[in-house]
Amino acid sequence: MTAVPAEEEGGGRPGPREQVAAAVGLLDRPLTSYYLVLGCSVMLLALGLTMVLSASSVQQLKATGSAFTLFQKQAIWMAIGLPGMWLASRLPVKTFRAMAYPLLLLSVVALAMVLIPGLGRSVGGATRWISFGPIQIQPSEPAKLGLVLWGADLLARKERLGQLTEWRPLLVPLLPGAGVLVLLVMLGNDLGTTLVLLTIFLALLWVVGAPGRLFLGIMGLVGLLVSILIVVEPYRMQRLTGFLDPAGNQLTTNYQGIQGLFAVASGGLFGTGLGEGRAKWDYLPHAETDFIFAIVGEELGLVGTLVVLGLFGLLAYAGLRIARRVKDPFTRLAAAGATAWLVVQAIVNIGAVIGVLPITGIPLPLVSYGGSALIPTLIALGMLLAFAKREPGARQALSARGPGPVVRALSWLGLARR
């Protein structure tokens, strides 16, 4: 008896295997990375703006008389950052390389200014802000982008000259340069940003192909450094002991973490409903920044948290896909460094909220409130979009796509040619 093909059994419809093969085939298209980065970024931004409004509405209504205060500020930061992302997506690679050294130098100067009494401002035990009247800037955020660009440019030049076969050219001056940034951030007692900077440094070494023994040695030094930072600062030691003993000090050290867990647990499968959460009513500190994921879990439930995790997972896949497919060493290193920065920061933030990692006080990229973090993140994502256009076949696919929606809209109004 002759077997009937799956297409004929379903009346011409493809079977499950064919559907899976077609779905997997979509991931092999030239513009897959481009659309994944763009789509995930837009969806996380939209979710973040919505959750900032929900998480901050009660506190801002009490403090300013308007529930929309932080929402409006975040919208302004987005209005500034999105054109920056669009511009970065259209820049050539040589422009990013030219930005590397100036941005790193400006970051070092700004981080040093944070430590000047009268300019630096402390929040939650960490001195990480510069105050210029009503405007506050967090220099450690653009420093992440500066380290990515400078480290990628430095290692790409050394790779072209064949100087990466020994450990000394591999680490000098990358290690001292990264060490200066880490030292300045450490002096401001910002452990979370220190971990992200060290992650970028390790990601660059990994991608450039550092020997396993050297890489493990550097990781050991990083672990020792982080341990020292925790031991010498009492509030960090309290956070660590609170993480190891979550049942103790429920009204002091562990209060924020416990309230965050309560918020996530009370959301159930589908959540209490957007805007209907109870944690933001003076129960959960910093609900719109460090613990906004807890508000997502409470109001949107397990489904909402899985959507956030899925979007960051797709963003990680897209960034690593770009790093794997591009040919230029600088592009490969910068894409991997930026991806490691965003994804590890998201993991650390979410891990702290759900109690699997100690609380470090770093925001959830694209979702938490804060312009100093949002704008460099959007520029980094624009850089990934620019790199995605350099994947094999991407430029041809973009050219065959025809005019974009903006050009089409202008042509309908008679303001542009088709």
Side-chain angles (χ1 to χ4, degrees):
M1 185 175 180
T2 305
V4 181
E7 295 84 352
E8 296 182 9
E9 290 181 359
R13 295 180 180 178
R17 290 185 179 179
E18 288 74 14
Q19 291 176 348
V20 172
V24 172
L26 292 175
L27 299 178
D28 292 330
R29 294 187 177 183
L31 292 177
T32 295
S33 303
Y34 181 88
Y35 286 122
L36 281 178
V37 172
L38 183 60
C40 292
S41 301
V42 169
M43 286 189 281
L44 285 169
L45 275 175
L47 176 66
L49 190 61
T50 303
M51 299 313 300
V52 165
L53 173 60
S54 178
S56 66
S57 56
V58 174
Q59 288 293 330
Q60 292 305 306
L61 185 62
K62 291 170 56 180
T64 66
S66 171
F68 297 91
T69 302
L70 293 190
F71 171 82
Q72 292 170 345
K73 290 182 179 180
Q74 188 76 349
I76 292 173
W77 290 122
M78 285 179 57
I80 297 172
L82 284 173
M85 178 181 177
W86 175 82
L87 178 62
S89 71
R90 304 180 68 85
L91 293 177
V93 172
K94 63 180 181 180
T95 303
F96 291 108
R97 301 190 74 161
M99 290 167 51
Y101 285 82
L103 183 57
L104 184 75
L105 180 60
L106 287 174
S107 299
V108 170
V109 172
L111 286 170
M113 291 175 63
V114 171
L115 304 176
I116 299 176
L119 281 179
R121 179 171 175 264
S122 297
V123 177
T127 305
R128 61 178 82 175
W129 302 89
I130 301 178
S131 296
F132 298 101
I135 301 176
Q136 295 178 355
I137 301 173
Q138 188 175 353
S140 58
E141 294 298 333
K144 299 171 186 175
L145 180 60
L147 180 58
V148 168
L149 295 178
W150 176 74
D153 179 69
L154 178 68
L155 292 177
R157 293 177 188 273
K158 288 180 175 290
E159 183 175 339
R160 185 185 62 188
L161 297 174
Q163 297 179 348
L164 298 180
T165 55
E166 298 182 4
W167 69 269
R168 192 181 299 273
L170 184 63
L171 294 180
V172 179
L174 178 63
L175 181 59
V180 170
L181 288 179
V182 169
L183 177 62
L184 290 172
V185 173
M186 283 167 45
L187 291 175
N189 291 327
D190 188 353
L191 179 60
T193 302
T194 299
L195 290 174
V196 176
L197 291 173
L198 291 172
T199 297
I200 294 171
F201 171 69
L202 290 174
L204 291 173
L205 288 181
W206 177 267
V207 174
V208 84
R213 183 176 300 177
L214 175 64
F215 189 80
L216 290 176
I218 295 294
M219 285 192 65
L221 289 176
V222 168
L224 178 62
L225 175 64
V226 172
S227 301
I228 294 173
L229 288 175
I230 293 173
V231 171
V232 299
E233 191 65 38
Y235 85 93
R236 292 198 197 109
M237 197 65 187
Q238 290 175 357
R239 285 183 175 180
L240 180 61
T241 55
F243 168 72
L244 297 175
D245 181 23
N249 299 321
Q250 297 186 15
L251 297 180
T252 54
T253 308
N254 292 341
Y255 178 79
Q256 186 182 30
I258 289 174
Q259 292 299 321
L261 287 175
F262 284 165
V264 174
S266 63
L269 184 59
F270 297 106
T272 59
L274 191 60
E276 299 296 328
R278 294 177 290 275
K280 59 193 177 188
W281 289 81
D282 283 338
Y283 291 106
L284 179 61
H286 306 296
E288 72 278 1
T289 53
D290 306 345
F291 270 67
I292 199 166
F293 188 76
I295 305 299
V296 173
E298 182 184 26
E299 298 188 354
L300 302 181
L302 177 63
V303 173
T305 59
L306 291 179
V307 168
V308 173
L309 291 173
L311 290 174
F312 277 112
L314 289 173
L315 195 59
Y317 169 79
L320 295 177
R321 185 178 189 267
I322 294 170
R324 181 176 60 86
R325 288 167 58 88
V326 293
K327 306 299 182 183
D328 177 52
F330 169 81
T331 306
R332 183 178 71 253
L333 287 162
T339 303
W341 153 25
L342 298 176
V343 174
V344 169
Q345 184 166 322
I347 291 172
V348 172
N349 177 277
I350 294 172
V353 172
I354 63 176
V356 299
L357 291 174
I359 297 173
T360 55
I362 59 176
L364 185 60
L366 299 174
V367 182
S368 294
Y369 169 77
S372 294
L374 181 63
I375 292 177
T377 299
L378 288 175
I379 293 175
L381 290 168
M383 179 181 70
L384 287 178
L385 290 175
F387 294 166
K389 296 177 185 178
R390 302 181 65 84
E391 291 187 34
R395 290 193 181 277
Q396 294 83 345
L398 283 171
S399 301
R401 189 182 58 174
V406 175
V407 176
R408 288 198 298 268
L410 292 175
S411 68
W412 294 336
L413 297 174
L415 300 177
R417 294 181 179 180
R418 289 183 180 272

